[in-house]
Amino acid sequence: MALRTIVIFLALACVAAAQSRTKKIILVTVDGLRWQELFNGVDASLAGKLRIPEDKRREAILPFFWNTFARQGVVFGNPAKNSSVEVTNSFRVSYPGYSEILTGRAQDSVIRGNEKIQNPTETVLEFVRRKLRLPRSRVAVFASWDVFPFIAESKPGSIYINAGYQDDPTMPDLSALQTEAMTAWDGVRHDYVTLNMAINYLRRKKPRVLHIALGETDDWAHDRRYDRVIQSIRYFDTALEYLVTVVQGTPEYRGNTTIIVTSDHGRGSTAEDWTSHGEKVPGAEKIWLAMWGADVPALGEISNSAPVFQRDVAPTMLRVLRIDPASYSGVEGRSVLPLKGK
């Protein structure tokens, strides 16, 4: 193991060696957000004559992420810094990716595409609820994509899920807005609605575990609208800043919350295949992972580190909640944020 890798993981371990302060976990996923834009900013070869800000640096499209979130936390996955995060499922599309995130394993024999089939495995969200004996309302998912009721739980009704164009009677204005201002896609609503429903729910219900799944970055890419992809990435940055501001301003969350941010899959890297992903698209296995919060050391952008995998997200969530990942049956990943005594 390289010296830099040893230093990184010793730092992670030392910061987390004391009793974990994390009481709440927020997982944010950004569908198909490429590492190329996250780490390098706007791809000039794809921008062409589109209406893209003149300043194409990564800090220009992701100012909060790079100037605050990353500096106060950790970010893995920049190939230029010899850091990698990869999916282990074979298919490199959304459902298999989200399932790997939420179960800590690839399920290639069952989850092979984006069909609406119920996840066969108890997800980490369901497991935490059962392990901590939480009411259903304390584990929640708000997702732009309407497949999440199948992805996020193995037993329907185990946790609270609002996805796609699903109404919530406690939020009539947002419920109405999502159908009055629809996207170009039948199964994916605007990320603005998803985020604000999640924030509304956080303030009222105070969930211990919250998953916010944004989706427009992927759909605009499939439509070959690079300008709208960049706009969606900028909105993700705005959304992340809003979320952190709410967390810091809410007594029940301030100082005891860890936020984990990642993507379900990568994309191609050329002008021909940047819109695509899947098992036959080179580079679609490459993603990224960022963490910020109560038990996350301010190491910033990680370089020369051991490989990290998508399946590591679930055990990391468990570790910061002081739950032994080994107690989650079948998990294949490892925590990237170890705690003493576990």
Side-chain angles (χ1 to χ4, degrees), residues 107-128:
Q107 301 191 84
D108 286 359
S109 64
V110 182
I111 309 299
R112 305 174 62 85
N114 292 333
E115 293 78 15
K116 291 181 176 180
I117 61 172
Q118 207 69 46
N119 199 321
T121 299
E122 180 184 42
T123 68
V124 69
L125 307 175
E126 295 174 291
F127 178 74
V128 169

Side-chain angles (χ1 to χ4, degrees), residues 154-229:
S154 60
K155 296 180 179 179
S158 298
I159 58 178
Y160 180 85
I161 301 177
N162 181 288
Y165 289 95
Q166 182 179 344
D167 288 340
D168 185 320
T170 68
M171 306 179 218
D173 292 344
L174 288 168
S175 294
L177 176 64
Q178 66 183 348
T179 53
E180 291 172 358
M182 297 181 69
T183 67
W185 320 287
D186 292 337
V188 182
R189 69 185 171 199
H190 283 299
D191 290 338
Y192 174 90
V193 175
T194 297
L195 173 73
N196 282 278
M197 279 189 166
I199 296 295
N200 180 297
Y201 191 90
L202 180 151
R203 285 171 165 156
R204 291 185 297 111
K205 299 293 187 178
K206 307 297 189 299
R208 289 283 300 274
V209 183
L210 176 64
H211 180 187
I212 304 173
L214 306 178
E216 289 190 73
T217 40
D218 186 69
D219 288 278
W220 286 121
H222 284 307
D223 285 354
R224 305 192 71 86
R225 288 292 305 273
Y226 192 65
D227 56 336
R228 299 302 295 271
V229 170

Side-chain angles (χ1 to χ4, degrees), residues 42-301:
V42 173
D43 187 332
S45 70
L46 301 179
K49 296 181 180 180
L50 297 172
R51 292 191 295 174
I52 301 285
E54 290 185 6
D55 188 347
K56 299 179 174 63
R57 299 171 306 139
R58 65 187 190 180
E59 292 86 0
I61 60 173
L62 290 157
F64 177 76
F65 183 90
W66 284 115
N67 295 328
T68 301
F69 194 88
R71 290 182 181 180
Q72 295 176 0
V74 296
V75 185
F76 295 93
N78 188 347
K81 293 184 177 293
N82 193 29
S83 176
S84 72
V85 184
E86 295 190 359
V87 307
T88 65
N89 71 80
S90 301
F91 302 104
R92 304 171 189 173
V93 297
S94 290
Y95 191 158
Y98 289 123
S99 180
E100 184 173 336
I101 290 169
L102 293 177
T103 66
R105 72 206 77 186
Q107 301 191 84
D108 286 359
S109 64
V110 182
I111 309 299
R112 305 174 62 85
N114 292 333
E115 293 78 15
K116 291 181 176 180
I117 61 172
Q118 207 69 46
N119 199 321
T121 299
E122 180 184 42
T123 68
V124 69
L125 307 175
E126 295 174 291
F127 178 74
V128 169
R129 184 202 164 189
R130 178 168 61 83
K131 192 77 172 178
L132 299 183
R133 300 180 181 180
L134 300 173
R136 174 176 176 266
S137 63
R138 299 295 301 284
V139 179
V141 177
F142 285 85
S144 295
W145 191 31
D146 69 358
V147 183
F148 264 88
F150 299 88
I151 298 171
E153 60 185 0
S154 60
K155 296 180 179 179
S158 298
I159 58 178
Y160 180 85
I161 301 177
N162 181 288
Y165 289 95
Q166 182 179 344
D167 288 340
D168 185 320
T170 68
M171 306 179 218
D173 292 344
L174 288 168
S175 294
L177 176 64
Q178 66 183 348
T179 53
E180 291 172 358
M182 297 181 69
T183 67
W185 320 287
D186 292 337
V188 182
R189 69 185 171 199
H190 283 299
D191 290 338
Y192 174 90
V193 175
T194 297
L195 173 73
N196 282 278
M197 279 189 166
I199 296 295
N200 180 297
Y201 191 90
L202 180 151
R203 285 171 165 156
R204 291 185 297 111
K205 299 293 187 178
K206 307 297 189 299
R208 289 283 300 274
V209 183
L210 176 64
H211 180 187
I212 304 173
L214 306 178
E216 289 190 73
T217 40
D218 186 69
D219 288 278
W220 286 121
H222 284 307
D223 285 354
R224 305 192 71 86
R225 288 292 305 273
Y226 192 65
D227 56 336
R228 299 302 295 271
V229 170
I230 297 303
Q231 289 175 11
S232 297
I233 293 172
R234 295 184 76 176
Y235 180 72
F236 152 64
D237 188 73
T238 299
L240 189 61
E241 182 175 15
Y242 182 28
L243 176 63
V244 170
T245 299
V246 171
V247 164
Q248 296 287 61
T250 304
E252 294 88 346
Y253 287 83
R254 184 171 54 246
N256 65 16
T257 300
T258 293
I259 299 177
I260 299 174
V261 191
T262 190
S263 187
D264 53 331
H265 56 72
R267 319 190 76 85
S269 59
T270 71
E272 289 72 36
D273 66 7
W274 73 271
T275 64
S276 302
H277 53 92
E279 56 188 317
K280 295 182 180 180
V281 177
E285 76 281 4
K286 296 185 181 300
I287 58 170
W288 48 273
L289 173 66
M291 298 183 291
W292 170 97
D295 294 299
V296 180
L299 295 177
E301 193 172 359

Side-chain angles (χ1 to χ4, degrees), residues 103-105 309-316 325-326 330-336:
T103 66
R105 72 206 77 186
F309 299 98
Q310 190 173 58
R311 66 191 181 194
D312 297 334
V313 174
T316 300
V331 68
E332 296 175 354
R334 61 172 178 81
S335 171
V336 298

